[in-house]
Amino acid sequence: MASAAALQTWEAANNITELSDDDLIFKYDAAKHNALCEAAPWTSDPHYFRHVKISALALLKMVMHARSGGRKEVMGLMQGKVTEHTMIVMDVFALPVEGTETQVSAQDSAYAYMFSYQELIKKVGRLENVMGWYHSHPGYGCWLSGIDVGTQTLHQTGNDPFLAVVVDPVRTISAGKVELGAFRCYPAGYHPPNEPVSEYQTIPLEKIEDFGVHSKQYYPLEVSYFKSVLDRQLLTLLWNTYWVNTLSSSPLLANAGYITGQVTDLAEKLDQTDAFHLAHSRTTGTGGDARKDKLAKCAKDGARLVIEDLHGLMAQTLKDEVFNKGPTVPFS
């Protein structure tokens, strides 16, 4: 009962929509898919794909795989199809790769595993193609690094249409909602027009330079999630494993290093803001507006950190009340 309620809460937090069994999204039309790929309208329109739809089953698999890597990056591939302006992720599978705390890349053994896996699933009637890759950014948000941009550009050159997804398992644990971003790269030499300012996200100080240098080489896609009665049993079985792992772990303990690092990072950003203001006020007498902007971003970072910490504290308090304190027995 508790597991089912938790699953419903998780689905509501991530705005997962239930579709009817006869929805066209579950039908794979090879002829239609191949015709779209041959036309390749994305080659003339870098913004052709605007939306991504991810199945709840694929989402949960990605989150579980990302969490299993801890502070190291993990990687996997996505299967699905494309329709007009939309990329649909039906399923995912993990790749046996060894990542570090800063990057992950596939080796020869991973590619051999990938080809073998694709051959096996076709034998059981799964016809969807590999149409993207996902990897984790444990604790530093969802965006593409320079290495990620290179990897995605390579895939779009040889295997397009191809999608890149980034999952942050640490912030997912802290916030309770899946932290995920989907991206596609611009072709070489393309200069995107001035785009509306995207939603602010916290980037660690040590990653800001890498983020800023490459942020104009790709664009984010709008992401939504869906499920069906058909995959309810599989989703429930997978959720039971995820739910047990969630119950047996403490966000405060699991993310202790992350929280400490975020506080340190915030302090360094405040120091830099003061140094920036002092330097500009002495030389030009300006810099006030820039300082306000930097302080506003620091305030957002601090507020997010406090909220995530409170979520962890409430979860730990609730678990303590449920599991560590038995029912009160009245004196006879």
Side-chain angles (χ1 to χ4, degrees), residues 9-329:
T9 302
W10 181 78
E11 290 175 349
N14 291 287
N15 298 317
I16 297 175
T17 304
E18 183 164 327
L19 305 178
S20 61
D21 298 344
D22 58 353
D23 195 285
L24 292 177
I25 201 171
F26 298 105
K27 295 179 173 60
Y28 181 75
D29 188 333
K32 186 176 181 180
H33 177 87
N34 293 336
L36 183 60
C37 289
E38 288 179 8
W42 47 85
T43 57
S44 57
D45 181 5
H47 284 93
Y48 178 80
F49 290 111
R50 306 186 187 102
H51 310 282
V52 178
K53 296 182 179 181
I54 303 176
S55 74
L57 198 60
L59 176 65
L60 189 53
K61 283 185 178 181
M62 284 191 283
V63 173
M64 292 180 68
H65 184 208
R67 284 185 62 172
S68 70
R71 299 295 296 180
K72 292 187 177 181
E73 292 191 12
V74 299
M75 177 182 174
L77 293 176
M78 302 181 292
Q79 295 170 280
K81 58 184 179 179
V82 294
T83 60
E84 291 184 358
H85 305 293
T86 303
M87 308 186 82
I88 303 172
V89 180
M90 303 299 296
D91 201 1
V92 300
F93 62 93
L95 285 179
V97 299
E98 289 188 6
T100 67
E101 293 187 1
T102 57
Q103 68 181 64
V104 61
S105 58
Q107 305 300 325
D108 291 343
S109 60
Y111 287 115
Y113 177 88
M114 176 181 68
F115 292 131
S116 175
Y117 186 93
Q118 290 182 86
E119 289 300 319
L120 289 173
I121 60 171
K122 286 181 179 179
K123 291 180 179 179
V124 295
R126 294 296 302 273
L127 303 178
E128 295 91 354
N129 300 301
V130 170
M131 43 75 69
W133 68 298
Y134 71 88
H135 71 289
S136 62
H137 275 186
Y140 47 95
C142 299
W143 47 280
L144 297 185
S145 67
I147 295 175
D148 299 337
V149 168
T151 301
Q152 176 62 17
T153 300
L154 181 65
H155 281 299
Q156 286 186 206
T157 302
N159 303 312
D160 222 14
F162 216 78
L163 175 71
V165 164
V166 181
V167 182
D168 188 335
V170 176
R171 292 185 180 178
T172 294
I173 294 173
S174 296
K177 180 179 180 293
V178 178
E179 187 87 5
L180 180 147
F183 310 96
R184 275 181 57 82
C185 288
Y186 293 122
Y190 177 79
H191 299 288
N194 292 329
E195 299 174 342
V197 179
S198 59
E199 183 180 352
Y200 174 73
Q201 63 172 316
T202 302
I203 307 295
L205 202 57
E206 63 179 11
K207 303 286 186 181
I208 283 181
E209 183 177 355
D210 193 21
F211 170 78
V213 168
H214 304 284
S215 60
K216 294 297 183 180
Q217 295 179 254
Y218 61 89
Y219 70 96
L221 284 74
E222 181 183 348
V223 181
S224 61
Y225 308 109
F226 66 91
K227 66 173 184 177
S228 163
V229 176
L230 292 173
D231 55 27
R232 167 57 61 183
Q233 186 174 2
L234 281 175
L235 188 61
T236 301
L237 290 173
L238 198 59
W239 175 261
N240 288 338
T241 302
Y242 180 79
W243 173 238
V244 169
N245 292 337
T246 302
L247 279 179
S248 61
S249 64
S250 166
L252 293 179
L253 297 178
N255 291 344
Y258 163 72
I259 294 170
T260 302
Q262 289 292 294
V263 172
T264 303
D265 187 73
L266 182 58
E268 291 176 354
K269 287 179 179 177
L270 288 171
D271 288 341
Q272 283 195 2
T273 300
D274 287 340
F276 171 86
H277 176 65
L278 185 61
H280 280 72
S281 60
R282 285 179 175 176
T283 56
T284 62
T286 61
D289 291 339
R291 180 173 183 269
K292 288 180 181 179
D293 182 61
K294 290 178 180 292
L295 287 175
K297 291 179 178 179
C298 288
K300 289 181 180 179
D301 291 349
R304 179 195 54 77
L305 186 59
V306 169
I307 292 172
E308 290 178 355
D309 224 9
L310 284 174
H311 282 166
L313 183 59
M314 288 189 292
Q316 190 64 23
T317 302
L318 182 60
K319 290 176 187 178
D320 184 56
E321 289 291 333
V322 173
F323 298 109
N324 296 336
K325 297 181 180 179
T328 303
V329 180

